Amino acid sequence: MSGLPLSAIQAGQVLTVGLGAPVVSGVIATVEARMQGRRGPRVLQPFYDLHKMFRKESVAPIGSGWLFLAAPVIAIASYLTVPMLIPVLTTYPLPLATMGDILGGGFLLSFASFLVAVAATETGDPYAQLGASRAKTFGAITEPVLLMVFFTVAAVTATDLPYALGETVRSGPAQVVRPSHLLATGALLMVILYETARIPIETHTGTNELGMIETARPFEHSGPYLALLHWGSMIKQLVLFTILLNIFAAPWGMSSGTHLLPVLGAAGALIGKSVLLGLLIAALDNSFAKLRLFKITEFAAAAFLLAIFAVCTLFLGGG
């Protein structure tokens, strides 16, 4: 039996992230509702919501420019580019995997977030501008954490290619329990908690203006553009989960060949691992009372300290 073309596998990585993201979000939302004693939505509810929004009319605020409508399209294109750079289904790099490193993937995620924030400021809506301002203010604190985590990765593997780090972690148990690796993984997990609005400050679906960040930026978008923003947010969550799981924490379950069944199995393994991680994060989210907004700086500072400790342990403690 001949294997799949590498280009088809690479397209499969993009489709796995694009179509799997609503599934992961739906499972997390359903289980999270059960944790709170509610019936909650259906697992496939994100697909129904996206279908409904894609069928509605789009309305742009008076005075908004072309970037208001272009930002959701560019943002989701940026999110879907990252799966070409990171190990999603295979342990070996695919043809376009070397066009950017893990730092380039981080820049793409930041670029998409920046465009959405700029589009929100064009609306003139105070809530949208408030969410954009908060997102960029706190993003300026969390982005250095990512840089320090990626620097630790580069120091461990002598390269900043994500496939190389995954191969290093799979090489033996000693790599998994390496102190610098554990600290960097913890720092990355804290950044993911912020980026997916799961930190104990706001609810990721809340509309309370005192604490909302992620839900405020798309306030003025509607129709297909709002659907792209919601879909992009789910894709971004799964991309971050994939980086944490397939590069740092659990880089197993991926295909080492090109045959169809192992590739499909790798897609199922990624969705399963992402659901388990999402449920763990949801349990953490529901275990803490919501804190005041300014506590985000302390949360981000703790993540940055973990990343600093990872570097210090690597170079000074033999970690």
Side-chain angles (χ1 to χ4, degrees), residues 178-238:
R178 181 195 293 261
S180 58
H181 177 74
L182 294 177
L183 290 170
T185 302
L188 180 59
L189 176 61
M190 294 181 71
V191 172
I192 291 176
L193 291 177
Y194 164 76
E195 291 290 344
T196 56
R198 293 285 182 174
I199 54 177
I201 306 292
E202 59 155 347
T203 57
H204 59 287
T205 57
T207 55
N208 181 1
E209 66 273 11
L210 296 178
M212 64 183 182
I213 300 175
E214 194 66 26
T215 55
R217 293 187 294 175
F219 242 41
E220 290 296 319
H221 285 87
S222 59
Y225 298 100
L226 180 60
L228 289 177
L229 287 176
H230 282 294
W231 193 11
S233 180
M234 291 184 281
I235 291 174
K236 177 183 178 182
Q237 174 181 259
L238 185 54

Short mmCIF file of all heavy atoms in Angstrom, two decimals, residues 178-238:
data_model
loop_
_atom_site.label_atom_id
_atom_site.label_comp_id
_atom_site.label_asym_id
_atom_site.label_seq_id
_atom_site.Cartn_x
_atom_site.Cartn_y
_atom_site.Cartn_z
N ARG A 178 13.59 16.81 32.64
CA ARG A 178 14.64 17.82 32.73
C ARG A 178 14.06 19.07 33.39
O ARG A 178 13.02 19.58 32.97
CB ARG A 178 15.14 18.15 31.34
CG ARG A 178 16.27 19.18 31.30
CD ARG A 178 16.44 19.70 29.88
NE ARG A 178 16.93 18.69 28.98
CZ ARG A 178 18.20 18.57 28.62
NH1 ARG A 178 19.10 19.40 29.11
NH2 ARG A 178 18.58 17.64 27.77
N PRO A 179 14.69 19.60 34.47
CA PRO A 179 14.11 20.74 35.18
C PRO A 179 13.82 21.95 34.30
O PRO A 179 12.75 22.56 34.41
CB PRO A 179 15.17 21.06 36.25
CG PRO A 179 15.86 19.77 36.48
CD PRO A 179 15.89 19.09 35.15
N SER A 180 14.74 22.28 33.40
CA SER A 180 14.52 23.44 32.53
C SER A 180 13.32 23.19 31.61
O SER A 180 12.54 24.12 31.33
CB SER A 180 15.77 23.72 31.70
OG SER A 180 16.13 22.59 30.92
N HIS A 181 13.16 21.95 31.17
CA HIS A 181 12.03 21.63 30.30
C HIS A 181 10.72 21.73 31.06
O HIS A 181 9.72 22.27 30.53
CB HIS A 181 12.21 20.22 29.74
CG HIS A 181 11.07 19.75 28.89
ND1 HIS A 181 10.87 20.22 27.61
CD2 HIS A 181 10.06 18.88 29.13
CE1 HIS A 181 9.79 19.65 27.10
NE2 HIS A 181 9.28 18.84 28.00
N LEU A 182 10.68 21.24 32.28
CA LEU A 182 9.46 21.31 33.07
C LEU A 182 9.08 22.75 33.39
O LEU A 182 7.90 23.13 33.33
CB LEU A 182 9.63 20.51 34.37
CG LEU A 182 9.79 18.99 34.21
CD1 LEU A 182 10.04 18.35 35.57
CD2 LEU A 182 8.57 18.38 33.55
N LEU A 183 10.06 23.57 33.71
CA LEU A 183 9.78 24.98 34.02
C LEU A 183 9.28 25.72 32.79
O LEU A 183 8.34 26.51 32.87
CB LEU A 183 11.04 25.65 34.57
CG LEU A 183 11.48 25.20 35.98
CD1 LEU A 183 12.86 25.76 36.30
CD2 LEU A 183 10.47 25.66 37.02
N ALA A 184 9.92 25.46 31.64
CA ALA A 184 9.47 26.11 30.40
C ALA A 184 8.07 25.66 30.03
O ALA A 184 7.24 26.46 29.56
CB ALA A 184 10.45 25.81 29.27
N THR A 185 7.77 24.37 30.24
CA THR A 185 6.42 23.87 29.95
C THR A 185 5.39 24.52 30.86
O THR A 185 4.29 24.89 30.41
CB THR A 185 6.38 22.35 30.12
OG1 THR A 185 7.35 21.74 29.26
CG2 THR A 185 5.01 21.79 29.80
N GLY A 186 5.73 24.69 32.14
CA GLY A 186 4.82 25.37 33.06
C GLY A 186 4.57 26.82 32.67
O GLY A 186 3.44 27.31 32.73
N ALA A 187 5.63 27.51 32.23
CA ALA A 187 5.47 28.89 31.79
C ALA A 187 4.58 28.97 30.56
O ALA A 187 3.72 29.85 30.44
CB ALA A 187 6.84 29.51 31.50
N LEU A 188 4.78 28.04 29.61
CA LEU A 188 3.95 28.02 28.40
C LEU A 188 2.49 27.73 28.75
O LEU A 188 1.57 28.33 28.16
CB LEU A 188 4.48 26.98 27.43
CG LEU A 188 3.70 26.85 26.11
CD1 LEU A 188 3.69 28.16 25.34
CD2 LEU A 188 4.31 25.75 25.24
N LEU A 189 2.25 26.84 29.70
CA LEU A 189 0.87 26.53 30.11
C LEU A 189 0.21 27.77 30.69
O LEU A 189 -0.98 28.04 30.41
CB LEU A 189 0.88 25.40 31.12
CG LEU A 189 -0.50 25.03 31.72
CD1 LEU A 189 -1.45 24.57 30.63
CD2 LEU A 189 -0.35 23.94 32.77
N MET A 190 0.93 28.55 31.46
CA MET A 190 0.36 29.78 32.04
C MET A 190 0.03 30.79 30.95
O MET A 190 -0.98 31.50 31.02
CB MET A 190 1.31 30.36 33.07
CG MET A 190 1.52 29.49 34.30
SD MET A 190 2.62 30.21 35.53
CE MET A 190 1.59 31.53 36.17
N VAL A 191 0.88 30.88 29.93
CA VAL A 191 0.58 31.77 28.81
C VAL A 191 -0.67 31.31 28.07
O VAL A 191 -1.51 32.13 27.67
CB VAL A 191 1.79 31.85 27.85
CG1 VAL A 191 1.43 32.61 26.59
CG2 VAL A 191 2.96 32.51 28.55
N ILE A 192 -0.81 29.99 27.91
CA ILE A 192 -2.00 29.46 27.24
C ILE A 192 -3.25 29.78 28.04
O ILE A 192 -4.31 30.09 27.47
CB ILE A 192 -1.84 27.95 27.02
CG1 ILE A 192 -0.76 27.68 25.97
CG2 ILE A 192 -3.16 27.31 26.58
CD1 ILE A 192 -0.46 26.22 25.75
N LEU A 193 -3.16 29.72 29.36
CA LEU A 193 -4.31 30.08 30.19
C LEU A 193 -4.73 31.52 29.93
O LEU A 193 -5.92 31.84 29.90
CB LEU A 193 -3.97 29.89 31.67
CG LEU A 193 -3.78 28.45 32.16
CD1 LEU A 193 -3.37 28.43 33.62
CD2 LEU A 193 -5.05 27.65 31.96
N TYR A 194 -3.76 32.40 29.73
CA TYR A 194 -4.12 33.79 29.43
C TYR A 194 -4.65 33.93 28.01
O TYR A 194 -5.68 34.58 27.78
CB TYR A 194 -2.90 34.70 29.60
CG TYR A 194 -3.10 36.05 28.95
CD1 TYR A 194 -3.90 37.01 29.54
CD2 TYR A 194 -2.52 36.35 27.72
CE1 TYR A 194 -4.12 38.24 28.93
CE2 TYR A 194 -2.72 37.57 27.10
CZ TYR A 194 -3.52 38.51 27.71
OH TYR A 194 -3.74 39.72 27.10
N GLU A 195 -3.96 33.34 27.05
CA GLU A 195 -4.33 33.51 25.65
C GLU A 195 -5.72 32.93 25.33
O GLU A 195 -6.37 33.39 24.40
CB GLU A 195 -3.28 32.86 24.75
CG GLU A 195 -1.93 33.57 24.75
CD GLU A 195 -1.98 34.92 24.06
OE1 GLU A 195 -2.94 35.18 23.32
OE2 GLU A 195 -1.04 35.71 24.26
N THR A 196 -6.14 31.94 26.09
CA THR A 196 -7.46 31.35 25.86
C THR A 196 -8.50 31.87 26.86
O THR A 196 -9.60 31.30 26.96
CB THR A 196 -7.39 29.82 25.96
OG1 THR A 196 -6.84 29.45 27.24
CG2 THR A 196 -6.51 29.25 24.87
N ALA A 197 -8.18 32.96 27.56
CA ALA A 197 -9.10 33.60 28.51
C ALA A 197 -9.56 32.64 29.59
O ALA A 197 -10.71 32.65 30.02
CB ALA A 197 -10.30 34.19 27.77
N ARG A 198 -8.64 31.78 30.06
CA ARG A 198 -8.99 30.81 31.09
C ARG A 198 -8.40 31.16 32.45
O ARG A 198 -8.62 30.42 33.41
CB ARG A 198 -8.47 29.43 30.69
CG ARG A 198 -9.15 28.84 29.47
CD ARG A 198 -10.53 28.37 29.82
NE ARG A 198 -11.18 27.76 28.67
CZ ARG A 198 -12.35 27.14 28.71
NH1 ARG A 198 -13.00 27.07 29.85
NH2 ARG A 198 -12.88 26.63 27.62
N ILE A 199 -7.64 32.23 32.53
CA ILE A 199 -7.08 32.62 33.81
C ILE A 199 -8.21 33.04 34.74
O ILE A 199 -9.27 33.47 34.29
CB ILE A 199 -6.06 33.76 33.65
CG1 ILE A 199 -6.69 34.92 32.89
CG2 ILE A 199 -4.82 33.28 32.95
CD1 ILE A 199 -5.77 36.10 32.76
N PRO A 200 -8.04 32.94 36.05
CA PRO A 200 -9.14 33.26 36.96
C PRO A 200 -9.39 34.76 37.11
O PRO A 200 -9.41 35.32 38.20
CB PRO A 200 -8.65 32.64 38.29
CG PRO A 200 -7.17 32.66 38.19
CD PRO A 200 -6.85 32.42 36.75
N ILE A 201 -9.55 35.46 35.97
CA ILE A 201 -9.86 36.88 35.96
C ILE A 201 -11.22 37.10 35.32
O ILE A 201 -12.07 37.81 35.83
CB ILE A 201 -8.80 37.69 35.18
CG1 ILE A 201 -7.40 37.39 35.72
CG2 ILE A 201 -9.10 39.17 35.24
CD1 ILE A 201 -7.15 37.89 37.11
N GLU A 202 -11.43 36.49 34.18
CA GLU A 202 -12.67 36.64 33.43
C GLU A 202 -13.09 35.27 32.93
O GLU A 202 -12.29 34.34 32.85
CB GLU A 202 -12.47 37.57 32.24
CG GLU A 202 -11.39 37.06 31.29
CD GLU A 202 -11.54 37.56 29.88
OE1 GLU A 202 -12.60 38.11 29.54
OE2 GLU A 202 -10.61 37.38 29.11
N THR A 203 -14.36 35.14 32.56
CA THR A 203 -14.81 33.94 31.88
C THR A 203 -14.62 34.13 30.39
O THR A 203 -14.79 35.23 29.88
CB THR A 203 -16.29 33.66 32.18
OG1 THR A 203 -17.06 34.81 31.79
CG2 THR A 203 -16.50 33.42 33.67
N HIS A 204 -14.26 33.04 29.70
CA HIS A 204 -13.95 33.17 28.28
C HIS A 204 -15.18 33.49 27.45
O HIS A 204 -15.07 33.85 26.28
CB HIS A 204 -13.30 31.88 27.77
CG HIS A 204 -14.16 30.67 27.94
ND1 HIS A 204 -14.38 30.10 29.17
CD2 HIS A 204 -14.87 29.94 27.06
CE1 HIS A 204 -15.17 29.05 29.03
NE2 HIS A 204 -15.49 28.93 27.76
N THR A 205 -16.37 33.36 28.04
CA THR A 205 -17.60 33.72 27.32
C THR A 205 -18.35 34.84 28.02
O THR A 205 -19.49 35.14 27.67
CB THR A 205 -18.54 32.50 27.23
OG1 THR A 205 -18.81 32.01 28.56
CG2 THR A 205 -17.91 31.39 26.40
N GLY A 206 -17.72 35.48 29.00
CA GLY A 206 -18.40 36.51 29.78
C GLY A 206 -18.53 37.82 29.04
O GLY A 206 -17.74 38.15 28.16
N THR A 207 -19.56 38.59 29.40
CA THR A 207 -19.78 39.91 28.81
C THR A 207 -19.86 40.99 29.89
O THR A 207 -20.50 42.01 29.72
CB THR A 207 -21.09 39.92 27.98
OG1 THR A 207 -22.17 39.49 28.81
CG2 THR A 207 -20.96 39.02 26.78
N ASN A 208 -19.21 40.74 31.01
CA ASN A 208 -19.13 41.74 32.06
C ASN A 208 -18.01 42.71 31.71
O ASN A 208 -16.85 42.33 31.63
CB ASN A 208 -18.86 41.06 33.41
CG ASN A 208 -18.79 42.04 34.56
OD1 ASN A 208 -18.96 43.25 34.38
ND2 ASN A 208 -18.53 41.53 35.75
N GLU A 209 -18.36 43.97 31.52
CA GLU A 209 -17.38 44.94 31.03
C GLU A 209 -16.25 45.17 32.01
O GLU A 209 -15.21 45.72 31.65
CB GLU A 209 -18.07 46.27 30.71
CG GLU A 209 -18.65 47.01 31.89
CD GLU A 209 -20.07 46.57 32.21
OE1 GLU A 209 -20.51 45.56 31.65
OE2 GLU A 209 -20.72 47.24 33.02
N LEU A 210 -16.41 44.77 33.28
CA LEU A 210 -15.36 44.97 34.26
C LEU A 210 -14.18 44.02 34.05
O LEU A 210 -13.08 44.29 34.52
CB LEU A 210 -15.91 44.81 35.68
CG LEU A 210 -16.98 45.82 36.10
CD1 LEU A 210 -17.46 45.52 37.50
CD2 LEU A 210 -16.44 47.24 36.00
N GLY A 211 -14.40 42.92 33.36
CA GLY A 211 -13.33 41.95 33.23
C GLY A 211 -13.14 41.37 31.85
O GLY A 211 -12.19 40.65 31.62
N MET A 212 -14.05 41.67 30.92
CA MET A 212 -13.95 40.99 29.62
C MET A 212 -12.80 41.55 28.79
O MET A 212 -12.52 42.75 28.80
CB MET A 212 -15.27 41.12 28.85
CG MET A 212 -15.67 42.52 28.46
SD MET A 212 -17.28 42.49 27.64
CE MET A 212 -17.46 44.22 27.25
N ILE A 213 -12.14 40.66 28.09
CA ILE A 213 -11.04 41.03 27.20
C ILE A 213 -11.28 40.38 25.83
O ILE A 213 -11.46 41.06 24.83
CB ILE A 213 -9.68 40.57 27.77
CG1 ILE A 213 -9.44 41.23 29.13
CG2 ILE A 213 -8.55 40.94 26.82
CD1 ILE A 213 -8.18 40.74 29.81
N GLU A 214 -11.28 39.05 25.83
CA GLU A 214 -11.38 38.32 24.57
C GLU A 214 -12.74 38.51 23.90
O GLU A 214 -12.83 38.56 22.69
CB GLU A 214 -11.12 36.83 24.83
CG GLU A 214 -10.87 36.01 23.58
CD GLU A 214 -9.57 36.38 22.89
OE1 GLU A 214 -8.66 36.88 23.58
OE2 GLU A 214 -9.49 36.18 21.67
N THR A 215 -13.80 38.62 24.71
CA THR A 215 -15.14 38.75 24.14
C THR A 215 -15.48 40.18 23.73
O THR A 215 -16.52 40.41 23.11
CB THR A 215 -16.19 38.27 25.15
OG1 THR A 215 -16.02 38.99 26.39
CG2 THR A 215 -16.05 36.78 25.40
N ALA A 216 -14.63 41.14 24.06
CA ALA A 216 -14.94 42.54 23.76
C ALA A 216 -14.48 42.94 22.36
O ALA A 216 -15.13 43.77 21.71
CB ALA A 216 -14.29 43.46 24.79
N ARG A 217 -13.39 42.37 21.89
CA ARG A 217 -12.83 42.83 20.61
C ARG A 217 -13.75 42.61 19.42
O ARG A 217 -13.84 43.48 18.56
CB ARG A 217 -11.47 42.15 20.38
CG ARG A 217 -10.42 42.59 21.38
CD ARG A 217 -9.05 42.05 21.04
NE ARG A 217 -8.99 40.61 21.17
CZ ARG A 217 -7.92 39.88 20.85
NH1 ARG A 217 -6.85 40.48 20.35
NH2 ARG A 217 -7.93 38.58 21.01
N PRO A 218 -14.49 41.50 19.32
CA PRO A 218 -15.37 41.34 18.16
C PRO A 218 -16.77 41.91 18.36
O PRO A 218 -17.71 41.51 17.69
CB PRO A 218 -15.43 39.82 18.00
CG PRO A 218 -15.31 39.30 19.38
CD PRO A 218 -14.41 40.25 20.11
N PHE A 219 -16.93 42.88 19.26
CA PHE A 219 -18.25 43.39 19.60
C PHE A 219 -19.00 43.93 18.39
O PHE A 219 -20.22 43.77 18.29
CB PHE A 219 -18.11 44.50 20.66
CG PHE A 219 -18.79 44.16 21.96
CD1 PHE A 219 -18.71 42.88 22.48
CD2 PHE A 219 -19.49 45.12 22.66
CE1 PHE A 219 -19.32 42.56 23.67
CE2 PHE A 219 -20.11 44.80 23.86
CZ PHE A 219 -20.03 43.52 24.36
N GLU A 220 -18.31 44.60 17.49
CA GLU A 220 -18.98 45.27 16.38
C GLU A 220 -18.99 44.45 15.10
O GLU A 220 -19.57 44.88 14.10
CB GLU A 220 -18.30 46.62 16.10
CG GLU A 220 -18.52 47.67 17.18
CD GLU A 220 -19.98 48.05 17.32
OE1 GLU A 220 -20.66 48.20 16.28
OE2 GLU A 220 -20.46 48.19 18.45
N HIS A 221 -18.36 43.31 15.10
CA HIS A 221 -18.40 42.45 13.91
C HIS A 221 -19.69 41.64 13.88
O HIS A 221 -20.29 41.37 14.93
CB HIS A 221 -17.20 41.50 13.89
CG HIS A 221 -15.91 42.16 13.51
ND1 HIS A 221 -15.10 42.78 14.43
CD2 HIS A 221 -15.31 42.32 12.30
CE1 HIS A 221 -14.04 43.28 13.82
NE2 HIS A 221 -14.14 43.00 12.54
N SER A 222 -20.10 41.25 12.70
CA SER A 222 -21.33 40.49 12.55
C SER A 222 -21.22 39.59 11.33
O SER A 222 -20.31 39.74 10.50
CB SER A 222 -22.53 41.44 12.40
OG SER A 222 -22.36 42.28 11.26
N GLY A 223 -22.17 38.66 11.23
CA GLY A 223 -22.24 37.80 10.06
C GLY A 223 -21.00 36.92 9.88
O GLY A 223 -20.40 36.44 10.85
N PRO A 224 -20.57 36.71 8.63
CA PRO A 224 -19.41 35.85 8.37
C PRO A 224 -18.13 36.33 9.04
O PRO A 224 -17.29 35.51 9.41
CB PRO A 224 -19.29 35.88 6.84
CG PRO A 224 -20.66 36.24 6.36
CD PRO A 224 -21.23 37.15 7.39
N TYR A 225 -17.98 37.64 9.19
CA TYR A 225 -16.75 38.15 9.82
C TYR A 225 -16.71 37.80 11.30
O TYR A 225 -15.65 37.49 11.84
CB TYR A 225 -16.65 39.66 9.61
CG TYR A 225 -16.56 40.04 8.16
CD1 TYR A 225 -17.67 40.49 7.45
CD2 TYR A 225 -15.35 39.92 7.47
CE1 TYR A 225 -17.59 40.82 6.11
CE2 TYR A 225 -15.25 40.25 6.12
CZ TYR A 225 -16.38 40.70 5.45
OH TYR A 225 -16.29 41.02 4.11
N LEU A 226 -17.86 37.86 11.96
CA LEU A 226 -17.91 37.42 13.36
C LEU A 226 -17.66 35.92 13.45
O LEU A 226 -16.99 35.45 14.38
CB LEU A 226 -19.27 37.77 13.96
CG LEU A 226 -19.49 37.37 15.42
CD1 LEU A 226 -18.47 38.06 16.32
CD2 LEU A 226 -20.91 37.71 15.87
N ALA A 227 -18.17 35.16 12.48
CA ALA A 227 -17.92 33.72 12.46
C ALA A 227 -16.43 33.43 12.32
O ALA A 227 -15.89 32.53 13.00
CB ALA A 227 -18.70 33.07 11.32
N LEU A 228 -15.75 34.18 11.46
CA LEU A 228 -14.31 33.97 11.28
C LEU A 228 -13.55 34.29 12.56
O LEU A 228 -12.57 33.60 12.91
CB LEU A 228 -13.80 34.85 10.14
CG LEU A 228 -14.23 34.43 8.72
CD1 LEU A 228 -13.71 35.44 7.70
CD2 LEU A 228 -13.74 33.03 8.38
N LEU A 229 -13.97 35.33 13.30
CA LEU A 229 -13.29 35.67 14.55
C LEU A 229 -13.50 34.57 15.60
O LEU A 229 -12.55 34.19 16.30
CB LEU A 229 -13.81 37.01 15.07
CG LEU A 229 -13.35 38.25 14.30
CD1 LEU A 229 -14.01 39.50 14.86
CD2 LEU A 229 -11.83 38.39 14.36
N HIS A 230 -14.73 34.07 15.71
CA HIS A 230 -14.97 33.00 16.68
C HIS A 230 -14.25 31.72 16.27
O HIS A 230 -13.66 31.03 17.13
CB HIS A 230 -16.48 32.74 16.79
CG HIS A 230 -17.20 33.75 17.62
ND1 HIS A 230 -16.99 33.89 18.97
CD2 HIS A 230 -18.14 34.68 17.30
CE1 HIS A 230 -17.76 34.85 19.46
NE2 HIS A 230 -18.47 35.36 18.46
N TRP A 231 -14.29 31.40 15.00
CA TRP A 231 -13.59 30.21 14.51
C TRP A 231 -12.08 30.37 14.71
O TRP A 231 -11.40 29.43 15.14
CB TRP A 231 -13.93 30.00 13.04
CG TRP A 231 -13.53 28.65 12.50
CD1 TRP A 231 -13.10 27.57 13.21
CD2 TRP A 231 -13.54 28.25 11.13
NE1 TRP A 231 -12.84 26.52 12.37
CE2 TRP A 231 -13.10 26.90 11.09
CE3 TRP A 231 -13.88 28.89 9.95
CZ2 TRP A 231 -12.98 26.21 9.90
CZ3 TRP A 231 -13.77 28.19 8.76
CH2 TRP A 231 -13.32 26.86 8.74
N GLY A 232 -11.55 31.55 14.41
CA GLY A 232 -10.14 31.80 14.61
C GLY A 232 -9.73 31.67 16.06
O GLY A 232 -8.64 31.17 16.37
N SER A 233 -10.60 32.11 16.98
CA SER A 233 -10.29 31.97 18.40
C SER A 233 -10.20 30.50 18.80
O SER A 233 -9.31 30.10 19.56
CB SER A 233 -11.37 32.69 19.22
OG SER A 233 -11.10 32.56 20.60
N MET A 234 -11.10 29.68 18.26
CA MET A 234 -11.05 28.24 18.55
C MET A 234 -9.82 27.60 17.93
O MET A 234 -9.19 26.72 18.54
CB MET A 234 -12.33 27.57 18.06
CG MET A 234 -13.57 27.95 18.84
SD MET A 234 -15.07 27.05 18.32
CE MET A 234 -15.51 27.98 16.85
N ILE A 235 -9.47 28.02 16.71
CA ILE A 235 -8.27 27.49 16.05
C ILE A 235 -7.02 27.87 16.83
O ILE A 235 -6.11 27.06 17.03
CB ILE A 235 -8.19 27.99 14.60
CG1 ILE A 235 -9.32 27.36 13.76
CG2 ILE A 235 -6.83 27.66 13.98
CD1 ILE A 235 -9.41 27.92 12.36
N LYS A 236 -6.97 29.12 17.29
CA LYS A 236 -5.82 29.57 18.07
C LYS A 236 -5.66 28.72 19.33
O LYS A 236 -4.55 28.34 19.71
CB LYS A 236 -5.99 31.04 18.44
CG LYS A 236 -4.88 31.60 19.31
CD LYS A 236 -5.17 33.04 19.69
CE LYS A 236 -4.10 33.59 20.60
NZ LYS A 236 -4.39 34.99 21.02
N GLN A 237 -6.79 28.40 19.98
CA GLN A 237 -6.72 27.57 21.18
C GLN A 237 -6.14 26.21 20.87
O GLN A 237 -5.25 25.72 21.59
CB GLN A 237 -8.13 27.41 21.77
CG GLN A 237 -8.19 26.46 22.94
CD GLN A 237 -9.60 26.30 23.49
OE1 GLN A 237 -9.95 26.88 24.50
NE2 GLN A 237 -10.42 25.49 22.83
N LEU A 238 -6.60 25.57 19.79
CA LEU A 238 -6.10 24.24 19.44
C LEU A 238 -4.64 24.31 18.99
O LEU A 238 -3.86 23.38 19.27
CB LEU A 238 -6.96 23.62 18.34
CG LEU A 238 -6.61 22.18 17.96
CD1 LEU A 238 -6.58 21.27 19.18
CD2 LEU A 238 -7.57 21.63 16.92
#
